[in-house]
Amino acid sequence: MRKRRRSRAEAEQLVREYESSGLRRQAFCAERGLSLAVLDKYRRQYRRATQSGEGRLVPVEVMAGVSAVARGGSALWLELSNGWRIEVGSGFDVETLRRLLNVLEPA
């Protein structure tokens, strides 16, 4: 049997399907042709990614007809559900933004 290499998205999808299936690991793996070790590996990776915030999806709204000039010149802005707004201009320093987000992210 040839090993199949799955993308990160495919592995995460398998974990979500397993968790919502209600099946025991062994039954789920038998249905999907997976080994228990592979499923466990995917589950560890998925858990690490979701705990670190990596890969976490957030809803995004694209606002048609609103230009950067109309918003005061910002090239990009994020309005968070808690009411915070982060605005950056074109040519912003990525590393500074990364440090800011690390500080704001809940521990």
Side-chain angles (χ1 to χ4, degrees):
M1 186 177 197
R2 190 169 157 249
K3 288 185 178 184
R4 181 177 185 280
R5 190 169 195 113
R6 290 177 180 81
S7 71
R8 183 177 179 169
E10 290 173 314
E12 289 178 359
Q13 181 62 33
L14 273 172
V15 172
R16 286 191 295 272
E17 288 173 11
Y18 162 69
E19 289 176 349
S20 65
S21 73
L23 297 172
R24 292 188 170 279
R25 287 175 27 250
Q26 219 168 2
F28 182 84
C29 289
E31 256 185 28
R32 302 298 171 99
L34 290 174
S35 71
L36 288 172
V38 168
L39 179 62
D40 290 344
K41 179 179 114 179
Y42 291 163
R43 290 176 68 206
R44 279 191 306 274
Q45 290 171 344
Y46 181 73
R47 188 174 23 244
R48 256 186 256 125
T50 55
Q51 286 174 347
S52 70
E54 182 185 322
R56 186 174 11 152
L57 299 178
V58 296
V60 174
E61 179 183 348
V62 178
M63 299 173 64
V66 178
S67 70
V69 174
R71 285 285 301 154
S74 296
L76 170 73
W77 72 94
L78 299 170
E79 293 183 22
L80 306 175
S81 60
N82 63 5
W84 291 6
R85 180 182 305 162
I86 300 172
E87 297 187 38
V88 294
S90 57
F92 67 91
D93 179 43
V94 174
E95 191 52 41
T96 301
L97 178 61
R98 187 172 287 130
R99 287 195 319 260
L100 172 64
L101 293 173
N102 284 335
V103 168
L104 295 176
E105 192 165 296

